[in-house]
């Protein structure tokens, strides 16, 4: 079987697809990825065949931007006018051409790669979408429905008033069902599965837990929003540095840790460490609330302090707050004292860890990658929707 895996953005959209791709390769299938030009070296570095597709929104060296006040209307405009309109049109055109040459038996896309789904539908290629947004509340019919129907008409497809294209054949969800916002229940073609903690990056020999028993706090702002975080790194580290804890902070490959100045012995700053290496040892995760960071923390039963800045993060943070998995702070307004108080509360109040442990148990009970791959193989063979039981 030939599987074309597609994703529309950066690492946050690529990494969730890696375990599926590796499992498919191990089973003898041929896989390839289609992504933006700047991601081609990343895809090839992970050991996969890579095709460049149109719709570049990422820069090889991301521009450093100031931290802005959260604007939910702006985030919806970016989703509608960018992802569901301009970017989707370019990617649909590009992936149509690629499929004509590479001829996949199956397309697997991240859930925001609308253009890939439209291309597969037009060519009658069965396709599956992998959820990459934890809460489910980011992609809403009232935000993207009209734009996607305009796009469908341009490619000769009928209207889809209920956005059934997003769940037509098969949806794979690596998130616990109870975390999803109740107003956005999973479709009938959705199947949950568990990504093993070592499936993406394996081991990381350059890091080991400190030898003493002080709690470890992991602090990250992800791989995209880190470059538009203003002084947030400094404020968080200033707030936490005097607590009796170890702090492991990752700032991303575009930021030199030296920019943050000298740090006390209990703070270690790296550009990158795989989160699955650190998280089993953590007492609290401080993050922006991105879906990958939230899923990683929940997979290890670790409570959080969240400072959402945009995209899906406010929606994820809202669910974490509702389920008492995290304290949520204003990324712009929160000073060091506020951040210190929130981390101290989450670290000492048992309810946060107890609730995180419940989600960890739910994730651990999900079927593994073998189940997800079996569903994809069945979809390619039967070419009809795969309904959940």
């Amino acid at each position: 079987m030939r599987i074309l895996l597609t994703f529309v953005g950066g690492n946050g959209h690529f990494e969730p697809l890696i375990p599926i791709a590796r499992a498919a390769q191990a089973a003898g299938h041929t896989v390839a990825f289609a992504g933006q030009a700047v991601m081609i070296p990343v895809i090839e570095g992970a050991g996969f065949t890579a095709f460049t597709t149109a719709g570049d929104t990422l820069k090889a060296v991301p521009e450093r931007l100031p931290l802005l006040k959260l604007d939910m209307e702006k985030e919806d405009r970016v989703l509608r006018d960018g992802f569901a309109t301009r970017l989707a049109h370019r990617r649909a055109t590009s992936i149509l051409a690629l499929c004509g040459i590479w001829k996949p038996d199956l397309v697997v896309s991240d859930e925001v790669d609308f253009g890939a789904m439209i291309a597969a539908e037009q060519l009658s290629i069965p396709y599956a979408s992998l959820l990459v947004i934890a809460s489910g509340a980011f992609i809403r019919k009232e935000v993207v429905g009209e734009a996607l129907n305009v796009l469908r008409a341009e490619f000769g497809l009928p209207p889809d008033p209920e956005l059934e294209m997003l769940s037509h054949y098969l949806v794979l969800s690596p998130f616990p069902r109870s975390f999803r916002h109740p107003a956005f229940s999973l479709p009938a073609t959705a199947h949950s599965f568990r990504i093993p903690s070592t499936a993406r990056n394996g081991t990381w020999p350059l890091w080991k837990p400190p030898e003493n028993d002080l709690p470890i706090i992991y602090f990250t702002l992800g791989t995209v929003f880190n470059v538009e975080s203003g002084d947030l790194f400094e404020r968080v580290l200033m707030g936490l540095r005097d607590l009796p804890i170890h702090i492991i902070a990752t700032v991303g490959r575009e930021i030199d840790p030296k920019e943050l100045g000298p740090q006390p012995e209990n703070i270690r700053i790296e550009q990158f460490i795989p989160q699955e290496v650190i998280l089993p040892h953590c007492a609290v995760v401080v993050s922006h609330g991105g879906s990958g960071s939230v899923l990683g923390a929940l997979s290890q039963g670790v409570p959080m302090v969240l400072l959402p800045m945009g995209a899906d993060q406010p929606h994820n943070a809202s669910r974490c707050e509702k389920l008492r998995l995290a304290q949520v702070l204003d990324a712009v307004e929160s000073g060091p004292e506020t951040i210190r108080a929130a981390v101290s509360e989450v670290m000492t109040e048992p309810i946060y860890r107890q609730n995180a442990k419940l989600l960890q148990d739910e994730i651990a009970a999900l079927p593994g990658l073998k189940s997800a791959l079996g569903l994809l193989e069945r979809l390619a063979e039967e070419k009809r929707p795969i309904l959940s039981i």
Side-chain angles (χ1 to χ4, degrees), residues 261-292:
Q263 301 293 332
E265 291 185 359
N266 67 325
I267 295 180
R268 175 175 175 178
I269 304 174
E270 297 285 347
Q271 288 186 311
F272 173 76
I273 301 176
Q275 67 175 9
E276 52 264 41
V277 176
I278 303 173
L279 289 174
H281 309 283
C282 288
V284 177
V285 169
V286 180
S287 83
H288 58 320
S291 290

Side-chain angles (χ1 to χ4, degrees), residues 320-385:
C320 285
E321 189 172 45
K322 176 73 173 177
L323 297 172
R324 294 207 71 188
L325 301 164
Q327 283 273 313
V328 178
L329 303 178
D330 187 304
V332 174
E333 301 294 336
S334 296
E337 298 81 7
T338 302
I339 295 167
R340 183 187 304 115
V343 170
S344 297
E345 178 179 346
V346 171
M347 192 164 48
T348 57
E349 172 54 60
I351 190 64
Y352 293 102
R353 181 165 286 276
Q354 290 169 5
N355 289 338
K357 182 63 167 59
L358 291 175
L359 271 293
Q360 180 189 23
D361 292 343
E362 183 179 344
I363 293 170
L366 295 175
L369 279 172
K370 184 177 181 181
S371 172
L373 180 60
L375 290 167
L376 292 174
E377 292 170 335
R378 180 180 160 193
L379 174 59
E381 180 180 352
E382 298 181 4
K383 297 180 175 59
R384 63 178 179 83

Side-chain angles (χ1 to χ4, degrees), residues 49-382:
T49 299
F51 295 108
T52 303
T53 45
D56 288 341
T57 60
L58 303 172
K59 299 180 180 179
V61 180
E63 183 180 359
R64 300 288 288 274
L65 299 170
L67 177 61
L68 301 177
K69 190 74 175 174
L70 184 60
D71 183 343
M72 300 293 284
E73 292 184 0
K74 174 189 173 185
E75 300 303 329
D76 285 346
R77 287 196 302 273
V78 169
L79 177 62
R80 180 186 64 244
D81 300 338
F83 284 90
T85 304
R86 293 186 301 272
L87 192 54
H89 188 281
R90 294 168 189 164
R91 289 189 59 76
T93 301
S94 184
I95 291 171
L96 277 170
L98 174 59
C99 288
I101 298 170
W102 199 71
K103 300 187 183 304
D105 301 299
L106 180 68
V107 171
V108 181
S109 69
D110 85 79
E111 68 174 309
V112 197
D113 198 354
F114 307 122
M117 299 179 208
I118 283 176
E121 184 177 349
Q122 192 190 64
L123 294 171
S124 298
I125 300 173
Y127 62 92
S129 62
L130 174 70
L131 300 188
V132 296
I133 297 173
S135 77
F138 186 50
I139 301 176
R140 306 185 303 283
K141 183 168 59 176
E142 63 269 23
V143 176
V144 301
E146 182 177 353
L148 289 179
N149 276 320
V150 169
L151 186 65
R152 290 177 63 82
E154 292 179 12
F155 284 87
L157 297 173
D160 182 14
E162 299 303 321
L163 295 188
E164 292 181 357
M165 63 173 271
L166 304 185
S167 58
H168 180 60
Y169 281 108
L170 173 65
V171 174
L172 296 175
S173 172
F175 305 105
R177 285 179 177 258
S178 65
F179 186 82
R180 195 170 177 92
H181 193 290
F184 301 93
S185 58
L186 289 170
T189 54
H191 298 254
S192 300
F193 75 106
R194 172 179 48 83
I195 299 175
S197 61
T198 58
R200 290 187 232 174
N201 294 299
T203 59
W204 186 256
L206 299 181
W207 185 85
K208 62 180 180 179
E211 294 182 356
N212 59 40
D213 294 329
L214 291 178
I216 297 173
I217 308 300
Y218 175 47
F219 171 36
T220 178
L221 297 177
T223 57
V224 175
F225 281 79
N226 55 337
V227 297
E228 51 189 84
S229 59
D231 67 341
L232 187 54
F233 278 113
E234 291 87 345
R235 278 184 283 133
V236 171
L237 294 176
M238 180 62 69
L240 302 183
R241 63 189 299 152
D242 294 330
L243 290 174
I245 58 177
H246 283 291
I247 302 161
I248 309 296
T250 54
V251 295
R253 304 193 189 280
E254 295 81 19
I255 298 176
D256 186 343
K258 294 179 181 178
E259 293 181 25
L260 299 177
Q263 301 293 332
E265 291 185 359
N266 67 325
I267 295 180
R268 175 175 175 178
I269 304 174
E270 297 285 347
Q271 288 186 311
F272 173 76
I273 301 176
Q275 67 175 9
E276 52 264 41
V277 176
I278 303 173
L279 289 174
H281 309 283
C282 288
V284 177
V285 169
V286 180
S287 83
H288 58 320
S291 290
S293 298
V294 168
L295 177 61
L298 294 179
S299 296
Q300 297 297 330
V302 182
M304 294 162 278
V305 171
L306 302 178
L307 298 132
M309 293 183 280
D312 59 327
Q313 301 154 30
H315 302 281
N316 296 334
S318 176
R319 284 301 288 162
C320 285
E321 189 172 45
K322 176 73 173 177
L323 297 172
R324 294 207 71 188
L325 301 164
Q327 283 273 313
V328 178
L329 303 178
D330 187 304
V332 174
E333 301 294 336
S334 296
E337 298 81 7
T338 302
I339 295 167
R340 183 187 304 115
V343 170
S344 297
E345 178 179 346
V346 171
M347 192 164 48
T348 57
E349 172 54 60
I351 190 64
Y352 293 102
R353 181 165 286 276
Q354 290 169 5
N355 289 338
K357 182 63 167 59
L358 291 175
L359 271 293
Q360 180 189 23
D361 292 343
E362 183 179 344
I363 293 170
L366 295 175
L369 279 172
K370 184 177 181 181
S371 172
L373 180 60
L375 290 167
L376 292 174
E377 292 170 335
R378 180 180 160 193
L379 174 59
E381 180 180 352
E382 298 181 4

